[in-house]
Amino acid sequence: MSYAGHPLSLSRLTSPPFPLLPPPTTAVFSAATGYTPLFSPVKFHRLSLLRSSGSRDNYIGNGGGGAGGNGKNNGGSGGGDWWSNFFNFDKRRSLLLLPIFRNEDTFIDSVLSCKPLLLFLVSASSSITCCLLLASFVQAKSNNGEIVYEIRGGKRFELVPDYSKDEFVLTKTMWSRLLPDSKSGSFVSNLWMQCKELTTTLLLPEGFPESVTSDYLEYALWRGVQGVAAQISGVLATQALLYAVGLGKGAIPTAAAVNWVLKDGIGYLSKILLSNYGRHFDVNPKSWRLFADLLENAAYGLEILTPAFPHLFVPIGAVAGAGRSAASLIQAATRSCFYAGFAAQRNFAEVIAKGEAQGMVSKAIGIMLGIALANCTRSSTSLALASFGVVTWIHMFCNLKSYHSIQLRTLNPYRASLVFSEYLLSGLVPSVKEVNDEEPLFPAAILNLKAAYETQTEVLSVHAKQAAAGIVGRLQLGSKLSDVATSREDVLALFELYKNEGYILTEHEGRFCIVLKESSSPQDMLKSLFHVNYLYWLETNAGIKSSNVANDCRPGGRLQMSLEYVEREFNHVKTDGEVAGWVTDSLIARPLPNRIRLDYTAVASVAEG
């Protein structure tokens, strides 16, 4: 049985059901049975009613302690025999008063008048207590003992009772458990277990694996290997830069320092300029993260080439530094998106902290391996490039595996279109893993081909994947109203149809144009995308295509009919999506910065005029 919280009180767990007789001590029970119970019986001094006449502090059966008589058990000089001691108790020292008697004398007189009955009750109590102890011993022996544990962050620590303090304490400390004994096994196995526990505590979030999502561990393992490879490339690139700046040829330290500062200073500008694209990182974090890794490897390659062109150290180093700065910005931005998805219990800070700790371990290992490899390559550019090529291949392979293992639960335009298209075709919402496995990392088809050795499983329908790709290619979120509606009749028809919505949707020149109102929310954008998916379904499956805006907005028209369906089904698909694990409260997108503000009083006057 497990227990998490404050120390338990032993008196609550070990109180016997019959407190008239003192329970046997641990030593007596162990000698009789050969088994040491987990919970040794405690002494119930305040529950003892019967005391010997010779010594007021002795229990029944311990013999007399006074000056007269002989005890039958241990031999005293004044306690009398066991039967006398049994009933020669002091009325003034009685501790058990039953409410059914009016006073103490009535109770004692009643007891003395029925000695055989009292003796029978005492014997029955002793027999039942022994039977209970024997039964608990047999049950504990069959279940290998019942143990109390304290739960700390998903880890179990065995507790044992401390009778002096009436509480439970840890059996052993972490380091004392390393010592071999008959129960814990060899020293090596215990050392391995303790190292494993220490590593888990330092590198994994508290409560793992319940505190994170199921894809966290696979991602962390692949990221650890790629971190080692990236650090090796960094060491090789740094060594090449030092040779290129002339550090190994007796160059002037001041000139070398100036060149190094110029290289880094120019490279930092890229980080400032690239920060303007932060919203794109939220929409497609996997694609941008993979692009950042490619950019980082290209920068390392340029730095390794600098010894071959020492006179171009500053421009080559500046370009490489710009690439590395941009890569570090993208990596930091997308890393937050991934970690937020891993935090199953909203433990964002802890997941990020453990991720940084894992990165430090990878860097430390990579630095050591990189130094060893740099000692082999030295100033040879060809050897450095060959080593860099192998390490880069490992680095990119681990990156691809780690990104494929991530299961993003938010909805961007592609994932939302894939979910909605499958729902319209089959009536079911696909799972998070099914959609993430089908999402491409790059738009180019050649970069999205899966390895030949991977099993090709058709989970989602081909029509749903084609629909998602087609919708994303034709979608324009945040269009200008003046671009999609040119006549007064079209504008008034759109205003009337979408007066209760946060968006206006129409089709213009083959594109699905969504005009966002000033009060439009991410939830409205998600609803508009569901509307787009239904328009695409009507076009491809029912053959209903757009004619003109005014006709589509009339009752029975394409836009009016589709809007009526969306208002009826959108909440259903949202609910089904939440059950499947999707975050359906918003759409992660980067719309164009165009909004409209409607004054319906003016619109009504224009319509009447």
Side-chain angles (χ1 to χ4, degrees), residues 32-263:
T33 62
Y35 170 75
T36 302
L38 179 62
F39 302 113
S40 300
V42 295
K43 298 179 179 180
F44 300 95
H45 295 280
R46 296 189 58 81
L47 295 179
S48 178
L49 167 67
L50 309 176
R51 301 180 183 272
S52 62
S53 60
S55 176
R56 298 181 184 271
D57 294 329
N58 290 337
Y59 284 94
I60 303 172
N62 287 339
N70 295 324
K72 289 187 178 181
N73 288 331
N74 295 333
S77 58
D81 58 6
W82 187 86
W83 182 263
S84 300
N85 290 335
F86 188 90
F87 294 102
N88 274 333
F89 54 88
D90 191 349
K91 298 180 181 180
R92 293 171 298 175
R93 296 293 301 274
S94 301
L95 300 179
L96 183 62
L97 301 178
L98 298 180
I100 59 176
F101 298 98
R102 296 184 177 274
N103 51 51
E104 190 179 19
D105 295 331
T106 305
F107 167 69
I108 295 173
D109 293 337
S110 301
V111 170
L112 293 177
S113 62
C114 53
K115 289 182 181 180
L117 177 59
L118 182 60
L119 182 59
F120 170 79
L121 293 176
V122 171
S123 302
S125 173
S126 302
S127 302
I128 294 175
T129 302
C130 293
C131 292
L132 290 175
L133 290 175
L134 183 59
S136 63
F137 163 72
V138 173
Q139 181 180 4
K141 202 70 176 176
S142 61
N143 296 333
N144 294 326
E146 195 173 69
I147 305 175
V148 177
Y149 291 99
E150 184 179 56
I151 309 300
R152 298 180 186 174
K155 305 294 188 303
R156 298 192 309 172
F157 299 90
E158 184 180 346
L159 301 178
V160 295
D162 184 356
Y163 303 113
S164 61
K165 299 180 180 179
D166 193 26
E167 65 182 19
F168 285 97
V169 296
L170 290 175
T171 54
K172 298 180 181 179
T173 62
M174 184 183 69
W175 300 111
S176 63
R177 281 183 283 177
L178 295 177
L179 299 177
D181 53 39
S182 58
K183 294 183 179 180
S184 59
S186 64
F187 174 79
V188 176
S189 62
N190 285 316
L191 180 62
W192 165 252
M193 291 300 298
Q194 294 305 318
C195 291
K196 183 179 177 181
E197 290 181 7
L198 182 62
T199 303
T200 303
T201 302
L202 294 178
L203 299 181
L204 293 177
E206 183 177 345
F208 175 86
E210 288 80 9
S211 60
V212 292
T213 55
S214 58
D215 53 336
Y216 174 79
L217 183 59
E218 183 180 359
Y219 169 81
L221 292 175
W222 286 114
R223 291 303 297 174
V225 178
Q226 73 85 27
V228 173
Q231 202 62 32
I232 294 175
S233 299
V235 172
L236 294 176
T238 303
Q239 183 192 46
L241 287 173
L242 293 175
Y243 279 115
V245 81
L247 193 61
K249 301 178 180 179
I252 301 175
T254 304
V258 169
N259 288 336
W260 197 280
V261 170
L262 285 175
K263 170 188 73 69

Side-chain angles (χ1 to χ4, degrees), residues 7-20:
L8 291 171
S9 175
L10 291 178
S11 59
R12 298 181 181 179
L13 295 178
T14 57
S15 299
F18 303 96
L20 290 177

Side-chain angles (χ1 to χ4, degrees), residues 164-465:
S164 61
K165 299 180 180 179
D166 193 26
E167 65 182 19
F168 285 97
V169 296
L170 290 175
T171 54
K172 298 180 181 179
T173 62
M174 184 183 69
W175 300 111
S176 63
R177 281 183 283 177
L178 295 177
L179 299 177
D181 53 39
S182 58
K183 294 183 179 180
S184 59
S186 64
F187 174 79
V188 176
S189 62
N190 285 316
L191 180 62
W192 165 252
M193 291 300 298
Q194 294 305 318
C195 291
K196 183 179 177 181
E197 290 181 7
L198 182 62
T199 303
T200 303
T201 302
L202 294 178
L203 299 181
L204 293 177
E206 183 177 345
F208 175 86
E210 288 80 9
S211 60
V212 292
T213 55
S214 58
D215 53 336
Y216 174 79
L217 183 59
E218 183 180 359
Y219 169 81
L221 292 175
W222 286 114
R223 291 303 297 174
V225 178
Q226 73 85 27
V228 173
Q231 202 62 32
I232 294 175
S233 299
V235 172
L236 294 176
T238 303
Q239 183 192 46
L241 287 173
L242 293 175
Y243 279 115
V245 81
L247 193 61
K249 301 178 180 179
I252 301 175
T254 304
V258 169
N259 288 336
W260 197 280
V261 170
L262 285 175
K263 170 188 73 69
D264 288 344
I266 297 173
Y268 290 154
L269 294 176
S270 65
K271 184 176 289 188
I272 300 174
L273 298 176
L274 194 62
S275 62
N276 189 40
Y277 295 88
R279 185 62 177 173
H280 291 284
F281 306 152
D282 289 323
V283 180
N284 297 300
K286 293 182 182 180
S287 302
W288 280 100
R289 185 60 179 271
L290 189 59
F291 171 75
D293 294 329
L294 290 172
L295 191 61
E296 184 181 41
N297 285 324
Y300 284 144
L302 287 176
E303 291 177 346
I304 292 176
L305 285 174
T306 50
F309 308 95
H311 58 287
L312 299 176
F313 173 79
V314 174
I316 294 178
V319 173
R324 292 182 62 179
S325 298
S328 65
L329 174 66
I330 298 173
Q331 289 169 352
T334 54
R335 189 184 303 120
S336 301
C337 298
F338 300 152
Y339 287 157
F342 292 142
Q345 298 178 353
R346 296 292 184 260
N347 51 339
F348 304 110
E350 185 184 18
V351 171
I352 293 174
K354 297 301 183 181
E356 293 297 321
Q358 296 165 10
M360 292 301 105
V361 173
S362 298
K363 287 182 178 180
I365 298 175
I367 287 174
M368 292 186 292
L369 296 178
I371 291 174
L373 188 58
N375 287 332
C376 298
T377 60
R378 295 188 179 275
S379 59
S380 175
T381 304
S382 58
L383 286 177
L385 285 175
S387 303
F388 171 73
V390 175
V391 173
T392 301
W393 184 88
I394 297 174
H395 180 244
M396 294 307 302
F397 176 77
C398 294
N399 281 331
L400 287 172
K401 297 296 290 184
S402 65
Y403 302 146
H404 278 301
S405 67
I406 297 174
Q407 299 177 15
L408 296 176
R409 289 156 178 81
T410 55
L411 293 172
N412 65 356
Y414 182 83
R415 290 192 293 272
S417 298
L418 196 56
V419 170
F420 293 152
S421 298
E422 185 66 27
Y423 177 82
L424 293 173
L425 290 171
S426 64
L428 301 175
V429 173
S431 66
V432 174
K433 180 174 176 53
E434 292 170 356
V435 174
N436 278 268
D437 290 343
E438 295 296 336
E439 184 181 14
L441 294 178
F442 281 114
I446 189 172
L447 295 178
N448 296 322
L449 294 177
K450 294 186 178 180
Y453 61 84
E454 292 185 0
T455 304
Q456 300 293 329
T457 58
E458 293 294 337
V459 179
L460 300 177
S461 64
V462 177
H463 297 290
K465 290 183 280 187

Side-chain angles (χ1 to χ4, degrees), residues 496-556:
E496 178 64 24
L497 180 63
Y498 294 101
K499 62 181 179 181
N500 296 324
E501 304 297 334
Y503 66 93
I504 295 175
L505 171 63
T506 185
E507 188 174 347
H508 179 69
E509 296 180 353
R511 299 181 66 88
F512 296 108
C513 299
I514 300 175
V515 181
L516 298 175
K517 297 181 180 180
E518 189 179 27
S519 59
S520 180
S521 64
Q523 181 80 121
D524 294 324
M525 289 191 287
L526 184 64
K527 185 176 182 179
S528 68
L529 189 58
F530 181 61
H531 195 169
V532 169
N533 276 262
Y534 187 65
L535 286 179
Y536 185 87
W537 185 89
L538 290 176
E539 178 183 319
T540 56
N541 294 277
I544 303 176
K545 297 184 179 181
S546 175
S547 56
N548 60 72
V549 176
N551 291 333
D552 289 342
C553 292
R554 292 190 177 97

